[in-house]
Amino acid sequence: MQKKLIVSMSPHIHTPRTVSGTMWNVVVALLPALAVALWTFGLPALTVTAVSIATCLLTEWAIDRLLFRRACTLSDGSAMVTALLLAFNLPSILPWWMVVIGGIVAIGIGKMSFGGLGCNIWNPALVGRVFLLISFPAAMTTWPEGVGSGMLPISGASADASSGATLLASLNSGQATAGSVDLMDLAVGQMNGSLGEVGSIAILLGLAYMLIMRIVSWHIPVAVLGSAALFSWALGGNPLLDLLAGGLMLGACFMATDYATSPMTRTGQIIYGVMIGVITIIIRRFGAYPEGVSFAILLMNSFTPLINRYCRPAIFGAAERRKTA
Amino acid sequence: MSIKTFRKGGIHPDADKLTADCMPERTPLADKLTIMLSQSIGAPSQPVVAAGAHVAAGELIAKAGGFVGSNIHSPCAGTVKKIEPARTPQGLWQNAIIIVPDAEQPEPQFAGRGDAEIQALTPADIIAIVAEAGIVGLGGATFPTHVKLSLPPGKKADTIILNGAECEPYLTCDDVLMRTRAREIIAGARLMKKATGAGRVIAGVEENKPEAIKAIREAAAGIPDVEVTVLKKKYPQGSEKQLIQACTGRVVPAGGLPVDAGAIVDNVATAYAVWEAVALGKPLYERIVTVTGPNLEGRGNYIVAVGTPLETIINDIGGLPDDTEKVVCGGPMMGKAASTLDSPSTKGLSGVLVLPESMAMRRKPDPCIRCARCVEVCPMGLEPYMLAQLGGHKRWADAATRGVANCLECGCCSYICPSSRPILDFIRLAKAESRKLKK
């Protein structure tokens, strides 16, 4: 009796990369920023993060098992990424039940209602954040006073405005001026804001890790940050301040680069990134909200299918064919 | 010397050239040779011998079934037992000539040609010799070489590209041939240059074969019309259109042939076969086959007579390892999995890859996360994720407008997909179905 052989179509070898490996690597890339958040905001940051993780994972599990009646998809790590990113987009003193609502909306509506991983049109964590921002505008813009848990006393504008406003809000309302800001403090996380907004250097560290592991390419982050800086400068602002304050760094490195909601070609990714940068600055300068990154990313997420339609790769030899035809 | 490559896409799988230092050895003749009548693309060959006939080594046993077709010769002295359908490794039944070799195998005698005689050959003479010798593209495509050398009217080629890229992981048959037969390969390429009226030969070899590069450089030294190009190790470097771009910078128009970019691409093993046919008068009835696998102990490069059952090849070198679950004919990227091992080798068989259980099964697919890696690696500038989706929804016409016909089936998209999606399977389906639409 001859041995039975397995038959399949080529190729017969495969990259060692997997979806879950990729997602868990993103989680690793988020850890430095999480550490900075804990250092800056202390225990409340941990509570928000833990509640967000618990809600997101539980929501995905429940929808998988009870609604879709399929195998649980938690092990692919994408719910964990969404949970961390949602927490990074919330103030540390947000009531826990609001975090729960955010988590349910992010996973339930932002992701699972479209069919789950890879099918969503908008970044799930941002769907959760914007839902909360519109539903609970006051709570979502109330920040801890003085950010007392930090080992260093907070300096710069936000400390002067002891109401605990974010730097961008203070700048917007004229309570602070660009001149009174210590950019170094912004870079290492000594400022007020959502959990993940504060540690620019930690975020860049995470980006560097993702670039080295080839999880993301440089195109989107560079396009977002470059265009925001350039546009800010063109409007007479301080580009560095716009880069370091608020959620731009987090958005450019971790939210705009989300695979499912960003374009498929390099050209498309650059157009998408540039537009996010420009829209962010427009909202910051002219909009009612002091912060515009989430809206900019969600807006451009909506344009991604259109960008994919018009920014196709050039087929090998197509130009030569037109020449000869 | 700069290292050249194609511009768009490509992947870097582990080379796993486990047999790179195994010089070719001849395997013993099998008890029974099953010579398929379809050894090349085109019409199956017509047998010219009947059951019971005695044939000598190198004797014509089947002639080309059409212009696109090829002659077939007996690899040994023996008796034609019968002509009956036999199974290809992929499980298709095709007619084959069964030959039982004689116990005594006299050294085959062929009428060779001296240097002066070779010099005097006209292009038409060379093409006739190549056609007579049944030479087909040995890189795996098995396109009849005499057809390739007969340029369509109005077309001109100025460059013969000698394909020594061997970008498929595991395969080393071209590598060892270049190391041991560099002079003959260059001579064969120059014969093809003469046959087509081209002005130069460019030999392209991937950088991970330093010995072969050295040998080919030495063989080409002092010959003004032969250039050697070192290519980057990147798959699919040895694909015709990609190789032409790497070696000449020219781009074959979409839907066009290499000759539209003034180039003809031939594998190094094909060039060697051309030299053998012209200089030695020996037809193509054996070739080097890389028999390899991560756990295969007797792995190496073997000179195998066409028609030798795969089982015989493997048993002669010590048999299959116990953990074998899959056997691939060719390389791991484009080779075809064999369903049965009593099928014979053919002229197009470059390798037999024996894979253990851990490499035999595909991973369970995850949902597409739109990471765009397939778009990034596609050497043809297609959108594999989209073509696969259209294929899944049977939208053949949409797949056609998105250029599915350009797909090389190189497998980069399926290889790179972190979700292990069967991208290429659906693209093949869409390609085949959309071709039917046009008719």
Side-chain angles (χ1 to χ4, degrees), chain B residues 395-421:
Chain B
R395 287 169 60 179
W396 317 130
D398 290 326
T401 53
R402 282 176 183 258
V404 73
N406 292 285
C407 176
L408 297 172
E409 305 185 21
C410 66
C412 288
C413 50
S414 287
Y415 171 86
I416 208 73
C417 181
S419 294
S420 320
R421 298 193 67 75

PDB file of all heavy atoms in Angstrom, chain B residues 395-421:
ATOM      1  N   ARG B 395     -16.863  36.975  -9.806  1.00  0.00           N
ATOM      2  CA  ARG B 395     -16.973  38.173 -10.652  1.00  0.00           C
ATOM      3  C   ARG B 395     -15.816  38.166 -11.647  1.00  0.00           C
ATOM      4  O   ARG B 395     -14.862  38.929 -11.550  1.00  0.00           O
ATOM      5  CB  ARG B 395     -16.973  39.423  -9.772  1.00  0.00           C
ATOM      6  CG  ARG B 395     -18.306  39.572  -9.035  1.00  0.00           C
ATOM      7  CD  ARG B 395     -18.265  40.610  -7.969  1.00  0.00           C
ATOM      8  NE  ARG B 395     -17.948  41.939  -8.491  1.00  0.00           N
ATOM      9  CZ  ARG B 395     -17.876  43.021  -7.727  1.00  0.00           C
ATOM     10  NH1 ARG B 395     -18.121  42.930  -6.441  1.00  0.00           N
ATOM     11  NH2 ARG B 395     -17.570  44.178  -8.245  1.00  0.00           N
ATOM     12  N   TRP B 396     -15.933  37.264 -12.631  1.00  0.00           N
ATOM     13  CA  TRP B 396     -14.814  37.028 -13.550  1.00  0.00           C
ATOM     14  C   TRP B 396     -14.498  38.268 -14.387  1.00  0.00           C
ATOM     15  O   TRP B 396     -13.342  38.599 -14.618  1.00  0.00           O
ATOM     16  CB  TRP B 396     -15.107  35.858 -14.497  1.00  0.00           C
ATOM     17  CG  TRP B 396     -15.740  34.664 -13.866  1.00  0.00           C
ATOM     18  CD1 TRP B 396     -16.851  34.007 -14.292  1.00  0.00           C
ATOM     19  CD2 TRP B 396     -15.302  33.930 -12.703  1.00  0.00           C
ATOM     20  NE1 TRP B 396     -17.137  32.941 -13.471  1.00  0.00           N
ATOM     21  CE2 TRP B 396     -16.211  32.866 -12.495  1.00  0.00           C
ATOM     22  CE3 TRP B 396     -14.232  34.083 -11.817  1.00  0.00           C
ATOM     23  CZ2 TRP B 396     -16.085  31.958 -11.447  1.00  0.00           C
ATOM     24  CZ3 TRP B 396     -14.109  33.179 -10.768  1.00  0.00           C
ATOM     25  CH2 TRP B 396     -15.026  32.134 -10.594  1.00  0.00           C
ATOM     26  N   ALA B 397     -15.550  38.970 -14.846  1.00  0.00           N
ATOM     27  CA  ALA B 397     -15.320  40.112 -15.734  1.00  0.00           C
ATOM     28  C   ALA B 397     -14.576  41.227 -14.983  1.00  0.00           C
ATOM     29  O   ALA B 397     -13.674  41.857 -15.532  1.00  0.00           O
ATOM     30  CB  ALA B 397     -16.649  40.638 -16.271  1.00  0.00           C
ATOM     31  N   ASP B 398     -14.952  41.442 -13.709  1.00  0.00           N
ATOM     32  CA  ASP B 398     -14.266  42.467 -12.929  1.00  0.00           C
ATOM     33  C   ASP B 398     -12.806  42.088 -12.690  1.00  0.00           C
ATOM     34  O   ASP B 398     -11.915  42.938 -12.711  1.00  0.00           O
ATOM     35  CB  ASP B 398     -14.970  42.672 -11.582  1.00  0.00           C
ATOM     36  CG  ASP B 398     -16.325  43.329 -11.761  1.00  0.00           C
ATOM     37  OD1 ASP B 398     -16.445  44.153 -12.681  1.00  0.00           O
ATOM     38  OD2 ASP B 398     -17.253  43.016 -10.994  1.00  0.00           O
ATOM     39  N   ALA B 399     -12.589  40.800 -12.475  1.00  0.00           N
ATOM     40  CA  ALA B 399     -11.205  40.339 -12.291  1.00  0.00           C
ATOM     41  C   ALA B 399     -10.407  40.591 -13.569  1.00  0.00           C
ATOM     42  O   ALA B 399      -9.242  40.984 -13.522  1.00  0.00           O
ATOM     43  CB  ALA B 399     -11.188  38.861 -11.931  1.00  0.00           C
ATOM     44  N   ALA B 400     -11.051  40.389 -14.720  1.00  0.00           N
ATOM     45  CA  ALA B 400     -10.358  40.602 -15.993  1.00  0.00           C
ATOM     46  C   ALA B 400      -9.989  42.073 -16.159  1.00  0.00           C
ATOM     47  O   ALA B 400      -8.870  42.386 -16.576  1.00  0.00           O
ATOM     48  CB  ALA B 400     -11.236  40.135 -17.153  1.00  0.00           C
ATOM     49  N   THR B 401     -10.893  42.991 -15.818  1.00  0.00           N
ATOM     50  CA  THR B 401     -10.567  44.409 -15.987  1.00  0.00           C
ATOM     51  C   THR B 401      -9.482  44.841 -15.004  1.00  0.00           C
ATOM     52  O   THR B 401      -8.764  45.794 -15.256  1.00  0.00           O
ATOM     53  CB  THR B 401     -11.798  45.324 -15.786  1.00  0.00           C
ATOM     54  OG1 THR B 401     -12.377  45.011 -14.529  1.00  0.00           O
ATOM     55  CG2 THR B 401     -12.827  45.138 -16.868  1.00  0.00           C
ATOM     56  N   ARG B 402      -9.340  44.121 -13.905  1.00  0.00           N
ATOM     57  CA  ARG B 402      -8.257  44.442 -12.978  1.00  0.00           C
ATOM     58  C   ARG B 402      -6.987  43.671 -13.316  1.00  0.00           C
ATOM     59  O   ARG B 402      -6.080  43.550 -12.495  1.00  0.00           O
ATOM     60  CB  ARG B 402      -8.687  44.172 -11.542  1.00  0.00           C
ATOM     61  CG  ARG B 402      -9.570  45.282 -11.011  1.00  0.00           C
ATOM     62  CD  ARG B 402     -10.081  44.978  -9.641  1.00  0.00           C
ATOM     63  NE  ARG B 402     -10.989  46.016  -9.172  1.00  0.00           N
ATOM     64  CZ  ARG B 402     -10.638  46.967  -8.310  1.00  0.00           C
ATOM     65  NH1 ARG B 402      -9.429  47.019  -7.826  1.00  0.00           N
ATOM     66  NH2 ARG B 402     -11.515  47.863  -7.931  1.00  0.00           N
ATOM     67  N   GLY B 403      -6.921  43.115 -14.507  1.00  0.00           N
ATOM     68  CA  GLY B 403      -5.659  42.582 -15.019  1.00  0.00           C
ATOM     69  C   GLY B 403      -5.275  41.208 -14.535  1.00  0.00           C
ATOM     70  O   GLY B 403      -4.096  40.871 -14.483  1.00  0.00           O
ATOM     71  N   VAL B 404      -6.265  40.370 -14.194  1.00  0.00           N
ATOM     72  CA  VAL B 404      -5.925  39.044 -13.655  1.00  0.00           C
ATOM     73  C   VAL B 404      -5.093  38.225 -14.646  1.00  0.00           C
ATOM     74  O   VAL B 404      -4.279  37.387 -14.247  1.00  0.00           O
ATOM     75  CB  VAL B 404      -7.210  38.288 -13.227  1.00  0.00           C
ATOM     76  CG1 VAL B 404      -8.011  37.802 -14.416  1.00  0.00           C
ATOM     77  CG2 VAL B 404      -6.875  37.144 -12.298  1.00  0.00           C
ATOM     78  N   ALA B 405      -5.254  38.522 -15.954  1.00  0.00           N
ATOM     79  CA  ALA B 405      -4.515  37.759 -16.965  1.00  0.00           C
ATOM     80  C   ALA B 405      -3.009  37.954 -16.851  1.00  0.00           C
ATOM     81  O   ALA B 405      -2.234  37.128 -17.321  1.00  0.00           O
ATOM     82  CB  ALA B 405      -4.988  38.160 -18.364  1.00  0.00           C
ATOM     83  N   ASN B 406      -2.580  39.052 -16.196  1.00  0.00           N
ATOM     84  CA  ASN B 406      -1.149  39.310 -16.057  1.00  0.00           C
ATOM     85  C   ASN B 406      -0.494  38.451 -14.979  1.00  0.00           C
ATOM     86  O   ASN B 406       0.726  38.458 -14.854  1.00  0.00           O
ATOM     87  CB  ASN B 406      -0.915  40.784 -15.695  1.00  0.00           C
ATOM     88  CG  ASN B 406      -1.281  41.707 -16.834  1.00  0.00           C
ATOM     89  OD1 ASN B 406      -0.556  41.805 -17.809  1.00  0.00           O
ATOM     90  ND2 ASN B 406      -2.423  42.356 -16.724  1.00  0.00           N
ATOM     91  N   CYS B 407      -1.303  37.781 -14.165  1.00  0.00           N
ATOM     92  CA  CYS B 407      -0.747  37.036 -13.030  1.00  0.00           C
ATOM     93  C   CYS B 407       0.204  35.949 -13.500  1.00  0.00           C
ATOM     94  O   CYS B 407      -0.102  35.195 -14.406  1.00  0.00           O
ATOM     95  CB  CYS B 407      -1.870  36.424 -12.194  1.00  0.00           C
ATOM     96  SG  CYS B 407      -1.257  35.402 -10.843  1.00  0.00           S
ATOM     97  N   LEU B 408       1.384  35.889 -12.857  1.00  0.00           N
ATOM     98  CA  LEU B 408       2.401  34.890 -13.183  1.00  0.00           C
ATOM     99  C   LEU B 408       2.167  33.591 -12.436  1.00  0.00           C
ATOM    100  O   LEU B 408       2.815  32.599 -12.702  1.00  0.00           O
ATOM    101  CB  LEU B 408       3.770  35.364 -12.687  1.00  0.00           C
ATOM    102  CG  LEU B 408       4.411  36.609 -13.233  1.00  0.00           C
ATOM    103  CD1 LEU B 408       5.645  36.895 -12.408  1.00  0.00           C
ATOM    104  CD2 LEU B 408       4.784  36.345 -14.664  1.00  0.00           C
ATOM    105  N   GLU B 409       1.328  33.648 -11.424  1.00  0.00           N
ATOM    106  CA  GLU B 409       1.122  32.541 -10.484  1.00  0.00           C
ATOM    107  C   GLU B 409       2.409  32.209  -9.740  1.00  0.00           C
ATOM    108  O   GLU B 409       2.693  31.062  -9.441  1.00  0.00           O
ATOM    109  CB  GLU B 409       0.542  31.314 -11.214  1.00  0.00           C
ATOM    110  CG  GLU B 409      -0.737  31.666 -11.960  1.00  0.00           C
ATOM    111  CD  GLU B 409      -1.427  30.471 -12.596  1.00  0.00           C
ATOM    112  OE1 GLU B 409      -1.186  29.339 -12.163  1.00  0.00           O
ATOM    113  OE2 GLU B 409      -2.221  30.697 -13.534  1.00  0.00           O
ATOM    114  N   CYS B 410       3.193  33.246  -9.442  1.00  0.00           N
ATOM    115  CA  CYS B 410       4.471  33.037  -8.748  1.00  0.00           C
ATOM    116  C   CYS B 410       4.263  32.681  -7.286  1.00  0.00           C
ATOM    117  O   CYS B 410       5.134  32.092  -6.659  1.00  0.00           O
ATOM    118  CB  CYS B 410       5.352  34.271  -8.859  1.00  0.00           C
ATOM    119  SG  CYS B 410       4.693  35.726  -8.003  1.00  0.00           S
ATOM    120  N   GLY B 411       3.103  33.066  -6.725  1.00  0.00           N
ATOM    121  CA  GLY B 411       2.803  32.658  -5.347  1.00  0.00           C
ATOM    122  C   GLY B 411       3.279  33.615  -4.267  1.00  0.00           C
ATOM    123  O   GLY B 411       3.136  33.318  -3.090  1.00  0.00           O
ATOM    124  N   CYS B 412       3.838  34.766  -4.643  1.00  0.00           N
ATOM    125  CA  CYS B 412       4.315  35.716  -3.627  1.00  0.00           C
ATOM    126  C   CYS B 412       3.183  36.125  -2.685  1.00  0.00           C
ATOM    127  O   CYS B 412       3.380  36.234  -1.477  1.00  0.00           O
ATOM    128  CB  CYS B 412       4.883  36.975  -4.285  1.00  0.00           C
ATOM    129  SG  CYS B 412       6.460  36.706  -5.084  1.00  0.00           S
ATOM    130  N   CYS B 413       1.989  36.350  -3.247  1.00  0.00           N
ATOM    131  CA  CYS B 413       0.867  36.836  -2.432  1.00  0.00           C
ATOM    132  C   CYS B 413       0.468  35.799  -1.387  1.00  0.00           C
ATOM    133  O   CYS B 413       0.308  36.123  -0.216  1.00  0.00           O
ATOM    134  CB  CYS B 413      -0.319  37.212  -3.324  1.00  0.00           C
ATOM    135  SG  CYS B 413      -0.799  35.960  -4.531  1.00  0.00           S
ATOM    136  N   SER B 414       0.309  34.555  -1.817  1.00  0.00           N
ATOM    137  CA  SER B 414      -0.081  33.518  -0.861  1.00  0.00           C
ATOM    138  C   SER B 414       1.020  33.292   0.166  1.00  0.00           C
ATOM    139  O   SER B 414       0.751  33.037   1.336  1.00  0.00           O
ATOM    140  CB  SER B 414      -0.365  32.197  -1.585  1.00  0.00           C
ATOM    141  OG  SER B 414      -1.576  32.266  -2.280  1.00  0.00           O
ATOM    142  N   TYR B 415       2.288  33.389  -0.293  1.00  0.00           N
ATOM    143  CA  TYR B 415       3.405  33.182   0.621  1.00  0.00           C
ATOM    144  C   TYR B 415       3.394  34.213   1.744  1.00  0.00           C
ATOM    145  O   TYR B 415       3.564  33.889   2.910  1.00  0.00           O
ATOM    146  CB  TYR B 415       4.738  33.262  -0.139  1.00  0.00           C
ATOM    147  CG  TYR B 415       5.946  33.268   0.775  1.00  0.00           C
ATOM    148  CD1 TYR B 415       6.514  32.076   1.221  1.00  0.00           C
ATOM    149  CD2 TYR B 415       6.500  34.460   1.221  1.00  0.00           C
ATOM    150  CE1 TYR B 415       7.593  32.075   2.078  1.00  0.00           C
ATOM    151  CE2 TYR B 415       7.580  34.474   2.092  1.00  0.00           C
ATOM    152  CZ  TYR B 415       8.124  33.277   2.512  1.00  0.00           C
ATOM    153  OH  TYR B 415       9.193  33.277   3.381  1.00  0.00           O
ATOM    154  N   ILE B 416       3.179  35.477   1.377  1.00  0.00           N
ATOM    155  CA  ILE B 416       3.379  36.566   2.331  1.00  0.00           C
ATOM    156  C   ILE B 416       2.181  36.779   3.241  1.00  0.00           C
ATOM    157  O   ILE B 416       2.296  37.414   4.280  1.00  0.00           O
ATOM    158  CB  ILE B 416       3.726  37.872   1.568  1.00  0.00           C
ATOM    159  CG1 ILE B 416       4.582  38.796   2.440  1.00  0.00           C
ATOM    160  CG2 ILE B 416       2.465  38.611   1.102  1.00  0.00           C
ATOM    161  CD1 ILE B 416       5.993  38.349   2.619  1.00  0.00           C
ATOM    162  N   CYS B 417       1.014  36.251   2.884  1.00  0.00           N
ATOM    163  CA  CYS B 417      -0.222  36.583   3.603  1.00  0.00           C
ATOM    164  C   CYS B 417      -0.164  36.139   5.069  1.00  0.00           C
ATOM    165  O   CYS B 417      -0.090  34.945   5.353  1.00  0.00           O
ATOM    166  CB  CYS B 417      -1.426  35.930   2.929  1.00  0.00           C
ATOM    167  SG  CYS B 417      -2.977  36.345   3.770  1.00  0.00           S
ATOM    168  N   PRO B 418      -0.193  37.077   6.026  1.00  0.00           N
ATOM    169  CA  PRO B 418      -0.141  36.669   7.433  1.00  0.00           C
ATOM    170  C   PRO B 418      -1.406  35.938   7.865  1.00  0.00           C
ATOM    171  O   PRO B 418      -1.399  35.225   8.850  1.00  0.00           O
ATOM    172  CB  PRO B 418       0.020  37.986   8.195  1.00  0.00           C
ATOM    173  CG  PRO B 418      -0.475  39.043   7.283  1.00  0.00           C
ATOM    174  CD  PRO B 418      -0.282  38.537   5.882  1.00  0.00           C
ATOM    175  N   SER B 419      -2.482  36.114   7.093  1.00  0.00           N
ATOM    176  CA  SER B 419      -3.716  35.404   7.394  1.00  0.00           C
ATOM    177  C   SER B 419      -3.761  34.046   6.704  1.00  0.00           C
ATOM    178  O   SER B 419      -4.774  33.356   6.776  1.00  0.00           O
ATOM    179  CB  SER B 419      -4.924  36.237   6.964  1.00  0.00           C
ATOM    180  OG  SER B 419      -5.015  37.406   7.739  1.00  0.00           O
ATOM    181  N   SER B 420      -2.698  33.674   6.003  1.00  0.00           N
ATOM    182  CA  SER B 420      -2.625  32.387   5.272  1.00  0.00           C
ATOM    183  C   SER B 420      -3.818  32.195   4.352  1.00  0.00           C
ATOM    184  O   SER B 420      -4.352  31.092   4.260  1.00  0.00           O
ATOM    185  CB  SER B 420      -2.554  31.194   6.221  1.00  0.00           C
ATOM    186  OG  SER B 420      -1.731  31.465   7.298  1.00  0.00           O
ATOM    187  N   ARG B 421      -4.266  33.227   3.710  1.00  0.00           N
ATOM    188  CA  ARG B 421      -5.421  33.085   2.830  1.00  0.00           C
ATOM    189  C   ARG B 421      -4.998  32.442   1.511  1.00  0.00           C
ATOM    190  O   ARG B 421      -3.895  32.684   1.031  1.00  0.00           O
ATOM    191  CB  ARG B 421      -6.074  34.440   2.576  1.00  0.00           C
ATOM    192  CG  ARG B 421      -6.608  35.057   3.867  1.00  0.00           C
ATOM    193  CD  ARG B 421      -7.516  36.217   3.610  1.00  0.00           C
ATOM    194  NE  ARG B 421      -8.744  35.827   2.957  1.00  0.00           N
ATOM    195  CZ  ARG B 421      -9.745  35.207   3.561  1.00  0.00           C
ATOM    196  NH1 ARG B 421      -9.654  34.899   4.825  1.00  0.00           N
ATOM    197  NH2 ARG B 421     -10.832  34.894   2.905  1.00  0.00           N
TER     198      ARG B 421
END
